Every structure is written in structure tokens, then in C-alpha cells.
Amino acid sequence: GRTPDPGFVAENEDFLDAMADQAGQVARMLRDSSWSSAEIEAWAACKPLVDPAYVRRGLYLGDGAWEEMFDALRVPTLLLVPTDSPMAPRPEAVHTDLVRTVVVPGAGHCVRRDQPARYLRAVAAFLAEVARAYQDWDEEALNTRCHLATSAM
């Protein structure tokens, strides 16, 4: 397994400690972020549920092999990632034309909340691209493609 960066672990432990003042953190997020109040409340409510051992072991989704799963995808997929985040998939680790990677500057690991306009533009462009690619397919071909994709999961 990977060894977590001690600075990253310390930063996250400090963050979780700061969440002891949940009301203060909610007020800070309401002031400093573009998130809705409902999302901020839900975000704050889940922080006491974070397992400190998970933070100490390292914030990643298992071993690096999970990134290889993108190469097994059989349907068009949009991967939105921040410019630099140790919790996000590495765009260079994905080697399939079916996965479109969009790096979103100014976003943290929650791109949709941090950069909603950039998120919506990227999703709209991706969906339009996919629609154009499949517009000439007949219903039978689309059903076959969808069946093959879901049976491979």
C-alpha cells in the first residue's frame, strides 16, 4: 500500500479537529464558498462520522489499481478533476478514449460545488459530444451497446 504524506494527514486531522466548532465552520463556509446552505449543513453534519484511522492510513480509494478500472469502461465517461488533488484520479493514469478528463481550475475535490459554472459547461459539452456521436445509431444498435456495457460491469 501507499504511505500517506504526513503533511497531508496532519492537515486533514487539523481540519477534523476544527470541525468541533461545527457552527463556526458552517458560518465560514457560508461566507467563503459558493455552496448552498443545504449542502454546507450536510457537509458539516458528516464530518463527525469520519474515521480518524482512515485519515492516518491515507486518503485514497484503496490501492492505485482503482484508476485502472477506468480503462475497462465501455461507455463514454466524464471525469472532472481539480488541478491538483491527492484524492482525485490522476488523468495520466487513464488510457481510454471513452473517458474524457476535464481539469477544472479553482476546484477542490468537489468540483460541482466549488466551480458550478465550469462543472455545468463541462457536463453540457460532454453530453453534446456523446449525443452527436450516437445520433445516427438506430435503437437496436444503442440497446446492444448499452447491454454490452452493463453486462461488463
Side-chain angles (χ1 to χ4, degrees), residues 78 80 111-112 115-127:
L78 177 61
L80 295 166
V111 174
R112 177 184 62 82
Q115 293 293 328
R118 289 178 177 164
Y119 168 85
L120 288 171
R121 279 195 297 275
V123 170
F126 174 76
L127 292 174

Side-chain angles (χ1 to χ4, degrees), residues 56-70:
R56 287 189 291 281
R57 283 191 310 268
L59 298 175
Y60 53 89
L61 302 174
D63 61 31
W66 78 276
E67 293 171 323
E68 296 170 9
M69 291 189 308
F70 286 106

Side-chain angles (χ1 to χ4, degrees), residues 1-116:
R2 293 189 270 185
T3 302
D5 175 350
F8 186 71
V9 171
E11 180 182 325
N12 279 278
E13 287 180 326
D14 290 347
F15 167 75
L16 290 173
D17 290 345
M19 288 304 297
D21 176 18
Q22 195 170 36
Q25 291 298 320
V26 167
R28 178 187 64 78
M29 287 294 289
L30 286 169
R31 182 184 66 244
D32 296 344
S33 80
S34 61
W35 299 12
S36 72
S37 60
E39 287 184 301
I40 291 170
E41 294 289 340
W43 166 84
C46 75
K47 296 307 171 206
L49 305 176
V50 174
D51 179 0
Y54 172 70
V55 173
R56 287 189 291 281
R57 283 191 310 268
L59 298 175
Y60 53 89
L61 302 174
D63 61 31
W66 78 276
E67 293 171 323
E68 296 170 9
M69 291 189 308
F70 286 106
D71 293 336
L73 291 172
R74 299 291 176 251
V75 294
T77 303
L78 177 61
L79 179 59
L80 295 166
V81 297
T83 302
D84 182 36
S85 175
M87 291 172 55
R90 298 168 298 141
E92 69 275 8
V94 179
H95 308 288
T96 175
D97 292 337
L98 287 173
V99 175
R100 176 81 58 241
T101 301
V102 175
V103 178
V104 181
H109 68 271
C110 190
V111 174
R112 177 184 62 82
R113 289 177 177 159
D114 295 339
Q115 293 293 328

